[in-house]
């Protein structure tokens, strides 16, 4: 009986694995077609420069306008793209789209920096620098307008390779940012020695600041303060991400963060909404200064 049960378990298990693999394959095929069919869209979330209270840049966040399932967040398809080797193609599409949008804003008198998220696998594939250069060349966007975000964890996977490519990108004038800092268990020394210009403080640290118990709030504020001074000591700028409340915004500003990003400032929005949003914001500020 035990033998039979064992066999059943094995059958069931491989059945589940097969189903999971088939699902992944299905999403992969669908996603490949989606890129070609123009179903991917980029939304942009503003970054607020805290000292001047001006919006100086945006982060590009990809979405999939799925014909049946609606607007899908990156968590639903970016991991599949990474696992199936499709992510470089996806990123090339994002880079081209973002460069075109940013060049257009520039021409409208809106000189914003635009940050693009890059997967660890892309850094390993060896085409990152040429893919970025190609997007800049075809859009005419100045390299100074482009920022590439790589997570702390993906940098830690191969720090030497990351350092090489970061250096190469920065020589070309492209800024590099370390995303989700404080969310992983990477070697601090390694991360701060990276040739990157921006450190993005993970939202788990930022969101601990206000709303929760007093003790945790002061500990989170201390953690954010430490990262801010670490960034300063390394000649890096800092971004507080996931800022949701006015209290969190006031705290990260008081702690000396360079930029803030989060729902309290704006949610990610389609490219065509951004100029209008920026216009409304500056009119509101002018009226307040009144
Ligand atoms: P990320 O780069 O850390 O991006 C920030 C995420 O936090 C975004 O989620 C954004 O919508 C969300 N967010 C912003 N402000 C707030 C806030 O105040 N509160 C909360 N709770 N969340 C906030 P999103 O768009 O779902 O993206 C998730 C992740 O997917 C990104 O994290 C990034 O790692 C990845 N991703 C997004 N776009 C791309 C892309 O084009 N390529 C690659 N490879 N990855 C991408
Ligand atoms: Mg990011
Ligand atoms: Mg992040
Ligand atoms: Mg993330």
């Amino acid at each position: 009986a035990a033998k039979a049960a064992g066999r059943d378990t094995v059958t069931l298990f491989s059945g589940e694995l097969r189903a999971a693999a088939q699902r992944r394959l299905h999403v992969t095929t669908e996603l490949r077609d989606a890129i070609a069919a123009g179903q991917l869209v980029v939304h942009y979330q503003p970054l607020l420069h805290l000292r001047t209270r001006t919006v100086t840049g945006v982060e590009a966040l990809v979405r999939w306008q799925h014909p049946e399932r609606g607007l899908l967040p990156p968590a639903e398809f970016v991991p599949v793209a990474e696992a199936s080797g499709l992510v470089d193609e996806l990123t090339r599409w994002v880079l081209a789209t973002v460069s075109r949008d940013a060049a257009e804003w520039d021409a409208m008198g809106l000189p914003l920096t635009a940050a693009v998220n890059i997967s660890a696998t892309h850094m390993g594939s060896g085409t990152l620098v040429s893919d970025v250069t190609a997007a800049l060349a075809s859009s005419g966007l100045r390299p100074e307008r482009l920022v590439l975000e790589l997570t702390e964890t993906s940098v830690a996977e191969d720090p030497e390779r990351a350092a090489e490519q970061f250096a190469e990108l920065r020589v070309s004038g492209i800024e590099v940012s370390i995303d989700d800092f404080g969310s992983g268990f990477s070697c601090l020394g390694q991360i701060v020695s990276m040739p990157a210009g921006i450190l993005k403080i993970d939202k788990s640290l930022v969101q601990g600041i206000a709303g929760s118990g007093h003790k945790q709030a002061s500990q989170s504020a201390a953690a954010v303060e430490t990262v801010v001074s670490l960034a300063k000591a390394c000649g890096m700028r800092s971004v507080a991400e996931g800022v949701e409340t006015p209290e969190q915004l006031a705290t990260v500003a008081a702690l000396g963060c360079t930029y803030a990003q989060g729902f309290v400032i704006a949610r990610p929005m389609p490219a065509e909404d951004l100029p209008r949003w920026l216009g409304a914001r500056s009119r509101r500020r002018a009226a307040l200064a009144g």
Side-chain angles (χ1 to χ4, degrees):
K3 220 173 168 182
R7 204 157 46 227
D8 284 351
T9 309
V10 169
T11 311
L12 181 66
F13 187 54
S14 65
E16 276 171 6
L17 279 183
R18 201 180 319 115
Q22 274 163 359
R23 249 191 329 270
R24 212 161 36 235
L25 187 65
H26 177 66
V27 177
T28 305
T29 316
E30 238 194 337
L31 184 56
R32 186 174 288 120
D33 294 344
I35 301 175
Q39 289 172 8
L40 294 188
V41 284
V42 177
H43 283 189
Y44 294 94
Q45 187 177 36
L47 261 80
L48 182 67
H49 184 250
L50 288 165
R51 196 171 45 75
T52 57
R53 293 271 156 175
T54 52
V55 172
T56 53
V58 292
E59 177 176 6
L61 297 156
V62 72
R63 276 98 181 82
W64 179 0
Q65 187 62 65
H66 193 282
E68 288 119 39
R69 296 167 67 202
L71 195 65
L72 302 179
E76 297 268 341
F77 61 94
V78 169
V80 178
E82 285 171 344
S84 64
L86 204 59
V87 76
D88 290 11
E89 193 180 328
L90 181 145
T91 304
R92 278 191 288 273
W93 180 86
V94 173
L95 281 167
T97 306
V98 172
S99 302
R100 217 184 314 113
D101 288 343
E104 207 170 295
W105 294 326
D106 214 27
M108 293 168 72
L110 301 168
L112 299 163
T113 61
V116 173
N117 290 285
I118 304 293
S119 297
T121 47
H122 203 160
M123 211 169 31
S125 74
T127 63
L128 180 60
V129 175
S130 60
D131 286 345
V132 172
T133 313
L136 291 175
S138 66
S139 64
L141 184 72
R142 296 170 45 193
E144 290 75 20
R145 295 274 191 265
L146 198 62
V147 180
L148 301 187
E149 297 194 359
L150 279 128
T151 65
E152 177 195 63
T153 344
S154 62
V155 168
E157 270 179 35
D158 193 349
E160 268 176 45
R161 180 122 201 200
E164 266 169 36
Q165 297 189 45
F166 284 17
E168 200 175 331
L169 289 161
R170 294 188 84 201
V171 165
S172 320
I174 298 148
E175 188 53 284
V176 179
S177 168
I178 297 181
D179 206 354
D180 301 348
F181 185 76
S183 67
F185 296 92
S186 40
C187 169
L188 198 57
Q190 216 162 53
I191 297 294
V192 298
S193 68
M194 280 294 148
I198 303 171
L199 207 52
K200 294 191 84 167
I201 308 168
D202 192 62
K203 44 177 170 283
S204 60
L205 292 180
V206 173
Q207 293 177 349
I209 288 175
S212 33
H214 186 73
K215 187 162 175 232
Q216 197 208 321
S218 64
Q219 283 167 347
S220 297
V224 171
E225 188 173 19
T226 303
V227 178
V228 169
S229 48
L230 186 69
K232 277 192 186 139
C234 300
M236 296 168 86
R237 291 168 282 158
S238 54
V239 182
E241 60 171 29
V243 183
E244 288 184 350
T245 68
E247 198 180 347
Q248 289 166 357
L249 185 61
T251 307
V252 298
L255 293 177
C257 253
T258 322
Y259 308 94
Q261 180 184 354
F263 295 168
V264 74
I265 300 154
R267 292 195 174 247
M269 63 185 95
E272 57 272 26
D273 292 356
L274 191 72
R276 207 177 334 126
W277 182 86
L278 287 167
R281 187 189 144 81
S282 63
R283 278 193 300 280
R284 220 164 35 237
R285 278 176 51 80
L288 283 174

